[in-house]
Tab-separated table of all heavy atoms in Angstrom:
chain	number	residue	atom	x	y	z
J	308	MET	N	6.775	0.271	12.569
J	308	MET	CA	6.863	0.916	11.284
J	308	MET	C	5.470	1.158	10.750
J	308	MET	O	4.530	0.436	11.099
J	308	MET	CB	7.669	0.039	10.314
J	308	MET	CG	9.049	-0.271	10.849
J	308	MET	SD	10.141	-0.982	9.625
J	308	MET	CE	10.551	0.448	8.664
J	309	LYS	N	5.348	2.133	9.888
J	309	LYS	CA	4.024	2.505	9.374
J	309	LYS	C	3.996	2.447	7.848
J	309	LYS	O	4.983	2.743	7.185
J	309	LYS	CB	3.682	3.939	9.792
J	309	LYS	CG	3.404	4.119	11.272
J	309	LYS	CD	2.925	5.548	11.484
J	309	LYS	CE	2.933	5.990	12.919
J	309	LYS	NZ	2.158	5.264	13.829
J	310	LEU	N	2.822	2.087	7.350
J	310	LEU	CA	2.566	2.096	5.919
J	310	LEU	C	1.726	3.328	5.599
J	310	LEU	O	0.697	3.571	6.242
J	310	LEU	CB	1.798	0.828	5.537
J	310	LEU	CG	1.263	0.735	4.103
J	310	LEU	CD1	2.380	0.776	3.088
J	310	LEU	CD2	0.441	-0.535	3.954
J	311	THR	N	2.181	4.120	4.644
J	311	THR	CA	1.418	5.313	4.269
J	311	THR	C	1.206	5.336	2.749
J	311	THR	O	1.995	4.772	1.993
J	311	THR	CB	2.158	6.615	4.682
J	311	THR	OG1	3.360	6.725	3.928
J	311	THR	CG2	2.467	6.626	6.157
J	312	VAL	N	0.130	5.976	2.351
J	312	VAL	CA	-0.159	6.165	0.931
J	312	VAL	C	-0.505	7.634	0.714
J	312	VAL	O	-1.394	8.166	1.382
J	312	VAL	CB	-1.329	5.286	0.457
J	312	VAL	CG1	-1.587	5.518	-1.041
J	312	VAL	CG2	-1.058	3.823	0.717
J	313	ASP	N	0.198	8.258	-0.220
J	313	ASP	CA	-0.098	9.653	-0.563
J	313	ASP	C	-1.157	9.638	-1.683
J	313	ASP	O	-0.830	9.407	-2.849
J	313	ASP	CB	1.173	10.350	-1.025
J	313	ASP	CG	0.949	11.827	-1.290
J	313	ASP	OD1	-0.222	12.243	-1.420
J	313	ASP	OD2	1.942	12.562	-1.399
J	314	LEU	N	-2.396	9.867	-1.314
J	314	LEU	CA	-3.488	9.779	-2.289
J	314	LEU	C	-3.448	10.932	-3.288
J	314	LEU	O	-4.105	10.874	-4.331
J	314	LEU	CB	-4.827	9.745	-1.557
J	314	LEU	CG	-5.025	8.523	-0.652
J	314	LEU	CD1	-6.373	8.586	0.044
J	314	LEU	CD2	-4.887	7.218	-1.444
J	315	GLU	N	-2.667	11.965	-2.998
J	315	GLU	CA	-2.551	13.085	-3.945
J	315	GLU	C	-1.787	12.666	-5.198
J	315	GLU	O	-1.998	13.238	-6.271
J	315	GLU	CB	-1.797	14.247	-3.275
J	315	GLU	CG	-2.495	14.850	-2.076
J	315	GLU	CD	-3.696	15.693	-2.485
J	315	GLU	OE1	-3.570	16.413	-3.480
J	315	GLU	OE2	-4.742	15.584	-1.820
J	316	ILE	N	-0.904	11.682	-5.067
J	316	ILE	CA	-0.110	11.288	-6.237
J	316	ILE	C	-0.418	9.868	-6.708
J	316	ILE	O	0.166	9.422	-7.693
J	316	ILE	CB	1.407	11.446	-5.965
J	316	ILE	CG1	1.854	10.589	-4.783
J	316	ILE	CG2	1.764	12.893	-5.724
J	316	ILE	CD1	3.362	10.621	-4.578
J	317	CYS	N	-1.311	9.179	-6.038
J	317	CYS	CA	-1.747	7.850	-6.505
J	317	CYS	C	-2.419	8.005	-7.872
J	317	CYS	O	-3.281	8.859	-8.052
J	317	CYS	CB	-2.740	7.261	-5.495
J	317	CYS	SG	-3.599	5.775	-6.094
J	318	ILE	N	-2.005	7.162	-8.835
J	318	ILE	CA	-2.589	7.237	-10.167
J	318	ILE	C	-3.526	6.061	-10.422
J	318	ILE	O	-3.888	5.748	-11.550
J	318	ILE	CB	-1.485	7.279	-11.255
J	318	ILE	CG1	-0.584	6.054	-11.152
J	318	ILE	CG2	-0.699	8.575	-11.166
J	318	ILE	CD1	0.363	5.908	-12.344
J	319	VAL	N	-3.922	5.379	-9.350
J	319	VAL	CA	-4.930	4.301	-9.405
J	319	VAL	C	-4.503	3.179	-10.354
J	319	VAL	O	-5.305	2.667	-11.126
J	319	VAL	CB	-6.328	4.862	-9.782
J	319	VAL	CG1	-7.415	3.865	-9.434
J	319	VAL	CG2	-6.610	6.177	-9.077
J	320	ALA	N	-3.248	2.849	-10.291
J	320	ALA	CA	-2.752	1.742	-11.109
J	320	ALA	C	-3.168	0.388	-10.534
J	320	ALA	O	-3.283	-0.585	-11.272
J	320	ALA	CB	-1.227	1.803	-11.213
J	321	GLY	N	-3.384	0.335	-9.246
J	321	GLY	CA	-3.903	-0.891	-8.624
J	321	GLY	C	-2.872	-1.933	-8.261
J	321	GLY	O	-3.218	-2.969	-7.692
J	322	GLU	N	-1.619	-1.685	-8.572
J	322	GLU	CA	-0.584	-2.696	-8.284
J	322	GLU	C	-0.559	-3.075	-6.813
J	322	GLU	O	-0.362	-4.235	-6.457
J	322	GLU	CB	0.797	-2.159	-8.677
J	322	GLU	CG	0.968	-1.858	-10.139
J	322	GLU	CD	0.962	-3.113	-10.985
J	322	GLU	OE1	1.286	-4.179	-10.438
J	322	GLU	OE2	0.629	-3.010	-12.157
J	323	CYS	N	-0.731	-2.108	-5.963
J	323	CYS	CA	-0.570	-2.349	-4.529
J	323	CYS	C	-1.638	-3.290	-3.984
J	323	CYS	O	-1.320	-4.288	-3.349
J	323	CYS	CB	-0.560	-1.043	-3.762
J	323	CYS	SG	-2.017	-0.012	-4.012
J	324	TYR	N	-2.895	-2.988	-4.237
J	324	TYR	CA	-3.926	-3.837	-3.617
J	324	TYR	C	-4.132	-5.160	-4.340
J	324	TYR	O	-4.576	-6.117	-3.736
J	324	TYR	CB	-5.250	-3.094	-3.413
J	324	TYR	CG	-5.746	-2.224	-4.525
J	324	TYR	CD1	-6.298	-2.774	-5.672
J	324	TYR	CD2	-5.698	-0.835	-4.409
J	324	TYR	CE1	-6.777	-1.960	-6.683
J	324	TYR	CE2	-6.179	-0.017	-5.409
J	324	TYR	CZ	-6.720	-0.585	-6.557
J	324	TYR	OH	-7.193	0.224	-7.549
J	325	TYR	N	-3.778	-5.223	-5.630
J	325	TYR	CA	-3.897	-6.518	-6.310
J	325	TYR	C	-2.805	-7.470	-5.817
J	325	TYR	O	-3.038	-8.666	-5.694
J	325	TYR	CB	-3.800	-6.348	-7.824
J	325	TYR	CG	-5.014	-5.693	-8.432
J	325	TYR	CD1	-4.889	-4.673	-9.360
J	325	TYR	CD2	-6.306	-6.085	-8.054
J	325	TYR	CE1	-6.011	-4.051	-9.897
J	325	TYR	CE2	-7.419	-5.458	-8.570
J	325	TYR	CZ	-7.260	-4.452	-9.495
J	325	TYR	OH	-8.363	-3.825	-10.022
J	326	ASN	N	-1.629	-6.948	-5.555
J	326	ASN	CA	-0.509	-7.794	-5.139
J	326	ASN	C	-0.391	-7.964	-3.629
J	326	ASN	O	0.242	-8.908	-3.158
J	326	ASN	CB	0.804	-7.227	-5.688
J	326	ASN	CG	0.894	-7.380	-7.193
J	326	ASN	OD1	0.779	-8.469	-7.730
J	326	ASN	ND2	1.051	-6.268	-7.883
J	327	HIS	N	-0.989	-7.053	-2.866
J	327	HIS	CA	-0.843	-7.103	-1.413
J	327	HIS	C	-2.192	-6.871	-0.724
J	327	HIS	O	-2.376	-5.879	0.002
J	327	HIS	CB	0.198	-6.073	-0.963
J	327	HIS	CG	1.517	-6.278	-1.632
J	327	HIS	ND1	2.384	-7.294	-1.285
J	327	HIS	CD2	2.093	-5.639	-2.679
J	327	HIS	CE1	3.444	-7.255	-2.063
J	327	HIS	NE2	3.283	-6.262	-2.920
J	328	PRO	N	-3.134	-7.780	-0.978
J	328	PRO	CA	-4.494	-7.582	-0.454
J	328	PRO	C	-4.609	-7.685	1.064
J	328	PRO	O	-5.643	-7.282	1.614
J	328	PRO	CB	-5.299	-8.689	-1.151
J	328	PRO	CG	-4.291	-9.737	-1.491
J	328	PRO	CD	-3.024	-8.994	-1.784
J	329	THR	N	-3.588	-8.196	1.718
J	329	THR	CA	-3.681	-8.243	3.185
J	329	THR	C	-3.388	-6.872	3.789
J	329	THR	O	-3.790	-6.593	4.921
J	329	THR	CB	-2.681	-9.263	3.784
J	329	THR	OG1	-1.364	-8.897	3.398
J	329	THR	CG2	-3.003	-10.675	3.307
J	330	LEU	N	-2.721	-6.005	3.036
J	330	LEU	CA	-2.349	-4.693	3.550
J	330	LEU	C	-3.223	-3.576	3.007
J	330	LEU	O	-3.446	-2.556	3.685
J	330	LEU	CB	-0.896	-4.363	3.213
J	330	LEU	CG	0.188	-5.276	3.771
J	330	LEU	CD1	1.543	-4.763	3.333
J	330	LEU	CD2	0.102	-5.332	5.281
J	331	LEU	N	-3.679	-3.737	1.774
J	331	LEU	CA	-4.367	-2.642	1.091
J	331	LEU	C	-5.598	-3.164	0.370
J	331	LEU	O	-5.603	-4.282	-0.154
J	331	LEU	CB	-3.418	-1.987	0.071
J	331	LEU	CG	-2.149	-1.400	0.682
J	331	LEU	CD1	-0.969	-1.563	-0.254
J	331	LEU	CD2	-2.356	0.066	1.010
J	332	LYS	N	-6.601	-2.321	0.311
J	332	LYS	CA	-7.870	-2.722	-0.325
J	332	LYS	C	-8.340	-1.598	-1.227
J	332	LYS	O	-8.208	-0.413	-0.893
J	332	LYS	CB	-8.900	-2.971	0.781
J	332	LYS	CG	-10.270	-3.397	0.311
J	332	LYS	CD	-11.151	-3.684	1.514
J	332	LYS	CE	-12.513	-4.227	1.109
J	332	LYS	NZ	-13.324	-3.267	0.392
J	333	ARG	N	-8.879	-1.953	-2.377
J	333	ARG	CA	-9.368	-0.938	-3.310
J	333	ARG	C	-10.587	-0.222	-2.741
J	333	ARG	O	-11.549	-0.856	-2.322
J	333	ARG	CB	-9.746	-1.600	-4.637
J	333	ARG	CG	-10.241	-0.620	-5.679
J	333	ARG	CD	-10.596	-1.362	-6.967
J	333	ARG	NE	-10.927	-0.443	-8.026
J	333	ARG	CZ	-12.139	0.088	-8.192
J	333	ARG	NH1	-13.132	-0.227	-7.396
J	333	ARG	NH2	-12.359	0.936	-9.194
J	334	ASN	N	-10.525	1.099	-2.737
J	334	ASN	CA	-11.681	1.895	-2.344
J	334	ASN	C	-12.663	1.902	-3.506
J	334	ASN	O	-12.314	2.303	-4.618
J	334	ASN	CB	-11.256	3.320	-1.978
J	334	ASN	CG	-12.421	4.159	-1.507
J	334	ASN	OD1	-13.302	4.512	-2.284
J	334	ASN	ND2	-12.423	4.487	-0.240
J	335	GLU	N	-13.870	1.447	-3.266
J	335	GLU	CA	-14.835	1.279	-4.353
J	335	GLU	C	-15.225	2.600	-5.012
J	335	GLU	O	-15.616	2.621	-6.183
J	335	GLU	CB	-16.097	0.567	-3.831
J	335	GLU	CG	-15.851	-0.854	-3.333
J	335	GLU	CD	-15.245	-1.748	-4.420
J	335	GLU	OE1	-15.544	-1.538	-5.607
J	335	GLU	OE2	-14.451	-2.650	-4.079
J	336	GLU	N	-15.098	3.685	-4.326
J	336	GLU	CA	-15.496	4.978	-4.898
J	336	GLU	C	-14.361	5.631	-5.670
J	336	GLU	O	-14.571	6.185	-6.744
J	336	GLU	CB	-15.980	5.923	-3.791
J	336	GLU	CG	-17.311	5.498	-3.209
J	336	GLU	CD	-17.820	6.481	-2.167
J	336	GLU	OE1	-17.229	7.566	-2.017
J	336	GLU	OE2	-18.807	6.145	-1.502
J	337	THR	N	-13.168	5.601	-5.126
J	337	THR	CA	-12.056	6.339	-5.735
J	337	THR	C	-11.110	5.462	-6.547
J	337	THR	O	-10.399	5.966	-7.408
J	337	THR	CB	-11.228	7.050	-4.650
J	337	THR	OG1	-10.573	6.056	-3.853
J	337	THR	CG2	-12.108	7.937	-3.778
J	338	GLY	N	-11.075	4.149	-6.254
J	338	GLY	CA	-10.113	3.264	-6.889
J	338	GLY	C	-8.753	3.300	-6.241
J	338	GLY	O	-7.889	2.468	-6.513
J	339	CYS	N	-8.552	4.258	-5.362
J	339	CYS	CA	-7.286	4.359	-4.612
J	339	CYS	C	-7.309	3.329	-3.475
J	339	CYS	O	-8.351	2.820	-3.110
J	339	CYS	CB	-7.126	5.756	-4.029
J	339	CYS	SG	-6.711	7.010	-5.256
J	340	PRO	N	-6.154	3.038	-2.917
J	340	PRO	CA	-6.108	2.050	-1.849
J	340	PRO	C	-6.540	2.595	-0.488
J	340	PRO	O	-6.220	3.740	-0.143
J	340	PRO	CB	-4.641	1.632	-1.814
J	340	PRO	CG	-3.912	2.801	-2.345
J	340	PRO	CD	-4.805	3.450	-3.336
J	341	ASP	N	-7.297	1.783	0.231
J	341	ASP	CA	-7.487	2.005	1.667
J	341	ASP	C	-6.472	1.137	2.384
J	341	ASP	O	-6.226	-0.015	1.979
J	341	ASP	CB	-8.896	1.571	2.098
J	341	ASP	CG	-9.965	2.536	1.601
J	341	ASP	OD1	-9.643	3.712	1.377
J	341	ASP	OD2	-11.107	2.075	1.441
J	342	ILE	N	-5.897	1.672	3.432
J	342	ILE	CA	-4.897	0.920	4.181
J	342	ILE	C	-5.600	0.043	5.222
J	342	ILE	O	-6.383	0.535	6.031
J	342	ILE	CB	-3.920	1.874	4.890
J	342	ILE	CG1	-3.156	2.678	3.840
J	342	ILE	CG2	-2.944	1.096	5.768
J	342	ILE	CD1	-2.246	3.748	4.430
J	343	LEU	N	-5.326	-1.246	5.159
J	343	LEU	CA	-5.914	-2.190	6.120
J	343	LEU	C	-5.016	-2.373	7.337
J	343	LEU	O	-5.505	-2.627	8.428
J	343	LEU	CB	-6.145	-3.553	5.447
J	343	LEU	CG	-7.092	-3.548	4.240
J	343	LEU	CD1	-7.131	-4.943	3.626
J	343	LEU	CD2	-8.483	-3.109	4.659
J	344	VAL	N	-3.707	-2.297	7.117
J	344	VAL	CA	-2.747	-2.500	8.209
J	344	VAL	C	-1.769	-1.319	8.198
J	344	VAL	O	-0.800	-1.311	7.447
J	344	VAL	CB	-1.977	-3.833	8.037
J	344	VAL	CG1	-1.021	-4.045	9.209
J	344	VAL	CG2	-2.932	-5.002	7.917
J	345	ALA	N	-2.056	-0.312	8.999
J	345	ALA	CA	-1.195	0.881	9.022
J	345	ALA	C	0.037	0.666	9.880
J	345	ALA	O	1.126	1.154	9.568
J	345	ALA	CB	-1.985	2.083	9.533
J	346	GLU	N	-0.131	-0.044	10.994
J	346	GLU	CA	0.997	-0.340	11.886
J	346	GLU	C	1.571	-1.694	11.509
J	346	GLU	O	0.916	-2.727	11.662
J	346	GLU	CB	0.514	-0.370	13.339
J	346	GLU	CG	0.092	0.977	13.888
J	346	GLU	CD	1.281	1.892	14.177
J	346	GLU	OE1	2.408	1.387	14.290
J	346	GLU	OE2	1.048	3.103	14.259
J	347	LEU	N	2.803	-1.671	11.013
J	347	LEU	CA	3.431	-2.900	10.550
J	347	LEU	C	4.215	-3.524	11.699
J	347	LEU	O	5.225	-2.960	12.120
J	347	LEU	CB	4.365	-2.593	9.371
J	347	LEU	CG	3.674	-1.889	8.192
J	347	LEU	CD1	4.726	-1.344	7.234
J	347	LEU	CD2	2.716	-2.820	7.488
J	348	THR	N	3.745	-4.641	12.176
J	348	THR	CA	4.379	-5.246	13.351
J	348	THR	C	5.105	-6.547	13.023
J	348	THR	O	6.045	-6.913	13.713
J	348	THR	CB	3.336	-5.506	14.462
J	348	THR	OG1	2.286	-6.278	13.907
J	348	THR	CG2	2.778	-4.189	14.997
J	349	SER	N	4.666	-7.254	12.000
J	349	SER	CA	5.317	-8.526	11.684
J	349	SER	C	6.318	-8.357	10.540
J	349	SER	O	6.206	-7.434	9.728
J	349	SER	CB	4.275	-9.583	11.301
J	349	SER	OG	3.784	-9.320	9.997
J	350	ASP	N	7.290	-9.265	10.493
J	350	ASP	CA	8.274	-9.233	9.404
J	350	ASP	C	7.598	-9.377	8.052
J	350	ASP	O	7.988	-8.735	7.069
J	350	ASP	CB	9.318	-10.334	9.598
J	350	ASP	CG	10.246	-10.046	10.748
J	350	ASP	OD1	10.272	-8.879	11.222
J	350	ASP	OD2	10.966	-10.963	11.177
J	351	ASP	N	6.584	-10.236	7.997
J	351	ASP	CA	5.863	-10.444	6.737
J	351	ASP	C	5.193	-9.161	6.269
J	351	ASP	O	5.237	-8.813	5.083
J	351	ASP	CB	4.813	-11.556	6.889
J	351	ASP	CG	5.431	-12.940	6.800
J	351	ASP	OD1	6.627	-13.042	6.472
J	351	ASP	OD2	4.698	-13.913	7.066
J	352	ASP	N	4.535	-8.460	7.189
J	352	ASP	CA	3.851	-7.216	6.811
J	352	ASP	C	4.858	-6.167	6.340
J	352	ASP	O	4.618	-5.449	5.364
J	352	ASP	CB	3.055	-6.664	7.987
J	352	ASP	CG	1.731	-7.414	8.186
J	352	ASP	OD1	1.385	-8.245	7.315
J	352	ASP	OD2	1.060	-7.164	9.203
J	353	ILE	N	5.985	-6.085	7.025
J	353	ILE	CA	7.009	-5.099	6.636
J	353	ILE	C	7.565	-5.440	5.257
J	353	ILE	O	7.716	-4.574	4.397
J	353	ILE	CB	8.133	-5.060	7.687
J	353	ILE	CG1	7.588	-4.477	8.994
J	353	ILE	CG2	9.314	-4.238	7.187
J	353	ILE	CD1	8.521	-4.637	10.174
J	354	ARG	N	7.826	-6.704	5.014
J	354	ARG	CA	8.344	-7.119	3.711
J	354	ARG	C	7.335	-6.819	2.607
J	354	ARG	O	7.668	-6.267	1.559
J	354	ARG	CB	8.672	-8.633	3.728
J	354	ARG	CG	9.149	-9.166	2.391
J	354	ARG	CD	9.454	-10.656	2.452
J	354	ARG	NE	8.411	-11.438	3.094
J	354	ARG	CZ	7.276	-11.783	2.513
J	354	ARG	NH1	7.034	-11.415	1.272
J	354	ARG	NH2	6.370	-12.484	3.157
J	355	GLU	N	6.072	-7.156	2.857
J	355	GLU	CA	5.037	-6.910	1.843
J	355	GLU	C	4.862	-5.416	1.587
J	355	GLU	O	4.651	-4.989	0.446
J	355	GLU	CB	3.714	-7.522	2.280
J	355	GLU	CG	3.708	-9.023	2.166
J	355	GLU	CD	2.376	-9.563	1.644
J	355	GLU	OE1	1.706	-8.870	0.871
J	355	GLU	OE2	2.041	-10.674	2.039
J	356	ALA	N	4.913	-4.623	2.645
J	356	ALA	CA	4.738	-3.179	2.473
J	356	ALA	C	5.886	-2.604	1.646
J	356	ALA	O	5.667	-1.742	0.790
J	356	ALA	CB	4.678	-2.512	3.839
J	357	ARG	N	7.095	-3.086	1.887
J	357	ARG	CA	8.229	-2.611	1.101
J	357	ARG	C	8.084	-3.004	-0.363
J	357	ARG	O	8.419	-2.239	-1.271
J	357	ARG	CB	9.538	-3.138	1.696
J	357	ARG	CG	9.899	-2.413	2.964
J	357	ARG	CD	11.196	-2.924	3.540
J	357	ARG	NE	11.640	-2.086	4.650
J	357	ARG	CZ	12.313	-2.527	5.692
J	357	ARG	NH1	12.636	-3.787	5.776
J	357	ARG	NH2	12.683	-1.698	6.648
J	358	GLU	N	7.585	-4.224	-0.591
J	358	GLU	CA	7.341	-4.659	-1.966
J	358	GLU	C	6.295	-3.775	-2.638
J	358	GLU	O	6.426	-3.400	-3.808
J	358	GLU	CB	6.902	-6.117	-1.988
J	358	GLU	CG	8.023	-7.094	-1.679
J	358	GLU	CD	7.561	-8.529	-1.587
J	358	GLU	OE1	6.390	-8.820	-1.912
J	358	GLU	OE2	8.356	-9.371	-1.155
J	359	ALA	N	5.244	-3.456	-1.908
J	359	ALA	CA	4.192	-2.587	-2.458
J	359	ALA	C	4.763	-1.225	-2.803
J	359	ALA	O	4.442	-0.653	-3.865
J	359	ALA	CB	3.043	-2.453	-1.446
J	360	ALA	N	5.615	-0.698	-1.960
J	360	ALA	CA	6.223	0.607	-2.224
J	360	ALA	C	7.097	0.546	-3.473
J	360	ALA	O	7.131	1.478	-4.280
J	360	ALA	CB	7.045	1.045	-1.019
J	361	GLU	N	7.785	-0.582	-3.659
J	361	GLU	CA	8.672	-0.705	-4.822
J	361	GLU	C	7.906	-0.782	-6.130
J	361	GLU	O	8.355	-0.264	-7.158
J	361	GLU	CB	9.552	-1.951	-4.672
J	361	GLU	CG	10.681	-1.764	-3.692
J	361	GLU	CD	11.468	-3.054	-3.457
J	361	GLU	OE1	11.339	-3.983	-4.278
J	361	GLU	OE2	12.186	-3.122	-2.448
J	362	VAL	N	6.748	-1.431	-6.123
J	362	VAL	CA	6.034	-1.625	-7.390
J	362	VAL	C	5.084	-0.459	-7.715
J	362	VAL	O	4.621	-0.358	-8.838
J	362	VAL	CB	5.221	-2.944	-7.414
J	362	VAL	CG1	6.129	-4.142	-7.244
J	362	VAL	CG2	4.096	-2.937	-6.411
J	363	CYS	N	4.832	0.408	-6.763
J	363	CYS	CA	3.922	1.524	-7.044
J	363	CYS	C	4.544	2.441	-8.097
J	363	CYS	O	5.615	3.000	-7.876
J	363	CYS	CB	3.651	2.309	-5.772
J	363	CYS	SG	2.700	3.817	-6.095
J	364	PRO	N	3.878	2.604	-9.237
J	364	PRO	CA	4.489	3.399	-10.320
J	364	PRO	C	4.570	4.888	-10.022
J	364	PRO	O	5.340	5.604	-10.674
J	364	PRO	CB	3.572	3.110	-11.519
J	364	PRO	CG	2.288	2.693	-10.928
J	364	PRO	CD	2.611	2.005	-9.634
J	365	SER	N	3.800	5.367	-9.065
J	365	SER	CA	3.841	6.800	-8.764
J	365	SER	C	4.590	7.094	-7.465
J	365	SER	O	4.640	8.237	-7.029
J	365	SER	CB	2.418	7.376	-8.683
J	365	SER	OG	1.725	6.792	-7.619
J	366	GLN	N	5.149	6.042	-6.862
J	366	GLN	CA	5.892	6.186	-5.604
J	366	GLN	C	5.040	6.860	-4.529
J	366	GLN	O	5.505	7.704	-3.776
J	366	GLN	CB	7.200	6.953	-5.831
J	366	GLN	CG	8.095	6.206	-6.815
J	366	GLN	CD	9.415	6.913	-7.078
J	366	GLN	OE1	9.497	8.125	-7.099
J	366	GLN	NE2	10.453	6.128	-7.279
J	367	ALA	N	3.777	6.438	-4.492
J	367	ALA	CA	2.841	7.011	-3.513
J	367	ALA	C	2.913	6.301	-2.164
J	367	ALA	O	2.419	6.817	-1.173
J	367	ALA	CB	1.424	6.933	-4.061
J	368	ILE	N	3.518	5.107	-2.161
J	368	ILE	CA	3.529	4.290	-0.954
J	368	ILE	C	4.873	4.428	-0.254
J	368	ILE	O	5.924	4.406	-0.886
J	368	ILE	CB	3.277	2.815	-1.291
J	368	ILE	CG1	1.898	2.687	-1.969
J	368	ILE	CG2	3.354	1.931	-0.057
J	368	ILE	CD1	1.598	1.290	-2.460
J	369	ALA	N	4.810	4.578	1.067
J	369	ALA	CA	6.034	4.685	1.856
J	369	ALA	C	5.941	3.804	3.084
J	369	ALA	O	4.852	3.580	3.623
J	369	ALA	CB	6.277	6.137	2.261
J	370	VAL	N	7.089	3.297	3.506
J	370	VAL	CA	7.212	2.571	4.775
J	370	VAL	C	8.151	3.392	5.635
J	370	VAL	O	9.305	3.612	5.268
J	370	VAL	CB	7.787	1.162	4.548
J	370	VAL	CG1	7.914	0.421	5.866
J	370	VAL	CG2	6.892	0.370	3.585
J	371	ILE	N	7.625	3.887	6.756
J	371	ILE	CA	8.420	4.807	7.568
J	371	ILE	C	8.550	4.299	9.008
J	371	ILE	O	7.688	3.568	9.495
J	371	ILE	CB	7.803	6.220	7.556
J	371	ILE	CG1	6.357	6.175	8.049
J	371	ILE	CG2	7.875	6.830	6.176
J	371	ILE	CD1	5.737	7.539	8.176
J	372	ASP	N	9.611	4.719	9.673
J	372	ASP	CA	9.837	4.343	11.081
J	372	ASP	C	8.931	5.132	11.995
J	372	ASP	O	8.589	6.259	11.719
J	372	ASP	CB	11.299	4.617	11.471
J	372	ASP	CG	12.211	3.550	10.897
J	372	ASP	OD1	11.808	2.387	10.840
J	372	ASP	OD2	13.346	3.917	10.507
Z	1878	SF4	S1	0.205	1.059	-6.732
Z	1878	SF4	FE1	0.496	3.237	-6.227
Z	1878	SF4	S2	-0.511	4.322	-7.877
Z	1878	SF4	FE2	-1.272	2.215	-7.932
Z	1878	SF4	S3	-3.158	2.233	-6.686
Z	1878	SF4	FE3	-1.450	1.678	-5.343
Z	1878	SF4	S4	-0.796	3.644	-4.444
Z	1878	SF4	FE4	-2.013	4.126	-6.239
Protein backbone atom coordinates (compact mmCIF):
# COMPACT_ATOMS: atom_id res chain seq x y z
CA MET A 1 0.00 0.00 0.00
CA LYS A 2 1.12 3.55 -0.63
CA LEU A 3 0.84 6.81 1.26
CA THR A 4 0.23 9.86 -0.90
CA VAL A 5 -0.21 13.56 -0.20
CA ASP A 6 -1.84 15.96 -2.65
CA LEU A 7 0.18 19.12 -2.06
CA GLU A 8 -2.21 21.10 -4.27
CA ILE A 9 -4.90 20.89 -1.59
CA CYS A 10 -2.77 20.69 1.58
CA ILE A 11 -3.62 23.71 3.75
CA VAL A 12 -0.54 23.29 5.98
CA ALA A 13 -2.54 22.48 9.08
CA GLY A 14 0.26 20.22 10.30
CA GLU A 15 -1.94 17.54 11.83
CA CYS A 16 -0.27 14.80 9.84
CA TYR A 17 3.37 15.33 10.70
CA TYR A 18 2.76 16.37 14.30
CA ASN A 19 0.75 13.21 14.99
CA HIS A 20 2.61 10.81 12.70
CA PRO A 21 6.27 11.84 12.62
CA THR A 22 7.45 8.39 11.61
CA LEU A 23 5.61 8.71 8.29
CA LEU A 24 5.64 12.42 7.52
CA LYS A 25 7.97 15.33 8.16
CA ARG A 26 7.39 19.06 7.87
CA ASN A 27 9.09 20.60 4.86
CA GLU A 28 10.98 23.58 6.25
CA GLU A 29 10.35 25.71 3.17
CA THR A 30 6.70 25.03 2.39
CA GLY A 31 5.29 23.73 5.69
CA CYS A 32 3.69 20.91 3.76
CA PRO A 33 4.56 17.32 4.61
CA ASP A 34 7.39 15.36 3.05
CA ILE A 35 6.65 11.66 2.94
CA LEU A 36 9.19 9.58 4.84
CA VAL A 37 7.57 6.18 4.24
CA ALA A 38 5.78 5.99 0.88
CA GLU A 39 5.58 2.19 0.74
CA LEU A 40 3.53 0.97 3.68
CA THR A 41 4.63 -2.54 4.54
CA SER A 42 3.88 -2.98 8.23
CA ASP A 43 0.49 -3.07 9.94
CA ASP A 44 1.59 -0.20 12.17
CA ASP A 45 2.51 2.00 9.22
CA ILE A 46 -0.78 1.24 7.46
CA ARG A 47 -2.77 2.01 10.60
CA GLU A 48 -0.90 5.27 11.18
CA ALA A 49 -1.29 6.32 7.56
CA ARG A 50 -5.03 5.73 7.72
CA GLU A 51 -5.20 7.79 10.91
CA ALA A 52 -3.28 10.60 9.22
CA ALA A 53 -5.70 10.52 6.30
CA GLU A 54 -8.65 10.71 8.68
CA VAL A 55 -7.38 13.74 10.59
CA CYS A 56 -6.23 15.75 7.58
CA PRO A 57 -8.72 18.65 7.38
CA SER A 58 -8.30 19.06 3.63
CA GLN A 59 -8.40 15.34 2.81
CA ALA A 60 -5.06 15.67 1.08
CA ILE A 61 -3.75 12.34 2.39
CA ALA A 62 -4.65 9.02 0.83
CA VAL A 63 -3.75 5.39 1.43
CA ILE A 64 -4.03 3.44 -1.79
CA ASP A 65 -3.47 -0.16 -2.92
S1 LIG B 1 -2.83 17.32 7.79
FE1 LIG B 1 -3.38 17.58 5.62
S2 LIG B 1 -3.57 19.78 5.37
FE2 LIG B 1 -2.42 19.45 7.26
S3 LIG B 1 -0.25 19.51 6.65
FE3 LIG B 1 -0.93 17.37 6.59
S4 LIG B 1 -1.55 17.06 4.44
FE4 LIG B 1 -1.48 19.25 4.79
